[in-house]
Amino acid sequence: MSSSNAELKRAIVDGLKHFVAFFILIGFVVTCNFALFFNFIQMSEAEIRKAAPITFINVLILTLLFCIIDITRRVWMVMRPVRRIRDGLDKVMAGDFSTQIQYIKGEDSDNEFDSIIKGINDMVAELAGVETLRTDFISNVSHEIKTPLTVIQNYAGMLQSPGLTEDQRKEYAKAIHDQTKKLSELITNILKLNRLENQQIYPDKKEYNLTEQICESLLLFEHTWEKKQIEIESDLQEDVYICQDAELLSLVWNNLFSNAFKFCKENGVVSIVVKKENDQVIVSVSDTGCGMNADTGKHIFEKFYQGDTSHATKGNGLGLALVKRVIDIVGGNISVQSVLGEGTTFTVILKES
Ligand code: ADP
């Protein structure tokens, strides 16, 4: 109420200022014209004095008319859009990110206010997305941390029970160990992703042997493929050199292999292809695992997304988000082909330099 009173007061003061300004302007113009006119037709002083009050009233009416026209123009063309923008911004400042300010003429008009409104609307939509991501991120992280913590708490409690056999003690200790490892991996991945997403990363490009790097990464999973008796098929073009950031790309291969071995069935096959085509390098990692349906395939690069199939296995849904971020940073491309129940192929295409 007090703010609308203040607005009214300001409008009246503004109106009066306008009135005085117009009055001086019109008065000056009309006086000059009349002075010239009277001088020209050589009227007597008495006649001029007689005509003066009528001229003054004319000037007053003209001033009022111009003043009303100008105020109406200002209210309609300036104050109305400004008020609409301000009301919209007030809502956004109060935390309502669903706000979209109504356009004055239309989204595509060349009205200056509409271009400001469009900018604000786009910014608010972007903020709404960021806000959703932030809240989703917090709830995902909390969930991912809470689950292993509950397991650790339960097993730690059981470890305290008297009369445990050696096997039970080992089993409970192993469960605690596995869950702490999972927690540590989760936090490492969050930190990596945070660094990749929030800092401007300038890839440290150096020429290196990609075939060698892929073999080294593959060997890290030797224990897993032996345990699951997975056959490895490789079609690696020898000594493919690439000028890229080796440390960033090792994240990609480690995650792709980790998933291939994780989702591959026992006695399955994991195939790796590395080849050079023109000035591009193509790396593909395939497995004869559980595969995924088209809907899962659409979301796998999102943070914390886990397909149904993965709930029975280890993971936190951050691996492929990291992979995608790295591929974007180095200017490459990643695609996935998968058939549910049959297997999956990830294909990475990188520029040679
Ligand atoms: P995580 O493996 O920790 O669940 P990722 O981000 O690495 O998280 O993968 C996201 C999801 O993509 C997985 O939960 C799984 O559903 C699907 N996925 C990834 N790689 C494969 C694969 N090789 N075979 C089948 N599904 C896969």
Side-chain angles (χ1 to χ4, degrees), residues 250-278:
S250 74
L251 266 173
V252 174
W253 318 132
N254 289 347
N255 275 298
L256 292 185
F257 287 143
S258 161
N259 279 347
F261 291 117
K262 184 163 75 177
F263 293 107
C264 193
K265 294 175 192 135
E266 292 205 357
N267 301 308
V269 182
V270 167
S271 325
I272 302 115
V273 177
V274 178
K275 62 181 175 191
K276 207 177 216 180
E277 267 181 17
N278 305 323

Side-chain angles (χ1 to χ4, degrees), residues 9-69:
K9 227 165 142 185
R10 208 172 59 215
I12 292 172
V13 173
D14 273 1
L16 281 175
K17 277 186 196 164
H18 260 71
F19 185 81
V20 173
F22 272 120
F23 180 73
I24 293 171
L25 190 73
I26 295 171
F28 178 73
V29 172
V30 171
T31 310
C32 288
N33 278 331
F34 269 82
L36 284 170
F37 179 68
F38 290 148
N39 190 35
F40 180 69
I41 60 167
Q42 294 191 333
M43 275 174 92
S44 68
E45 197 186 327
E47 280 167 327
I48 292 174
R49 280 184 191 282
K50 210 173 139 196
I54 301 164
T55 311
F56 181 78
I57 290 169
N58 277 344
V59 170
L60 215 62
I61 292 170
L62 267 180
T63 306
L64 197 65
L65 196 71
F66 280 122
C67 195
I68 290 171
I69 292 173

Side-chain angles (χ1 to χ4, degrees), residues 259 262-263 287 292 300 305-307 310 315-317 319-320 344 346:
N259 279 347
K262 184 163 75 177
F263 293 107
D287 63 76
M292 56 185 119
I300 52 174
Y305 180 81
Q306 291 193 286
S310 67
N316 46 45
L320 287 180
T344 305
F346 281 94

Side-chain angles (χ1 to χ4, degrees), residues 229-244:
Q229 301 195 324
I230 291 169
E231 189 188 327
I232 306 288
E233 272 179 5
S234 60
D235 178 5
L236 311 179
Q237 191 175 321
E238 250 180 68
D239 298 331
V240 172
Y241 279 85
I242 188 168
C243 185
Q244 285 290 2

Side-chain angles (χ1 to χ4, degrees), residues 158-199:
M158 281 151 76
L159 260 182
Q160 287 169 353
S161 329
L164 289 180
T165 65
E166 183 62 13
D167 280 351
Q168 281 173 319
R169 196 183 56 77
K170 274 189 187 155
E171 187 196 329
Y172 300 163
K174 183 173 178 309
I176 292 176
H177 175 265
D178 289 350
Q179 294 303 318
T180 44
K181 195 167 159 228
K182 190 174 171 176
L183 268 181
S184 149
E185 275 167 8
L186 171 72
I187 288 161
T188 312
N189 271 349
I190 291 174
L191 291 177
K192 272 185 199 160
L193 199 58
N194 185 46
R195 194 175 72 85
L196 290 177
E197 283 193 333
N198 297 331
Q199 287 175 18

Side-chain angles (χ1 to χ4, degrees), residues 217-228 232 261:
S217 170
L218 187 62
L219 282 172
L220 295 177
F221 298 89
E222 195 175 359
H223 178 69
T224 322
W225 86 61
E226 278 182 351
K227 205 167 141 198
K228 287 176 89 173
I232 306 288
F261 291 117

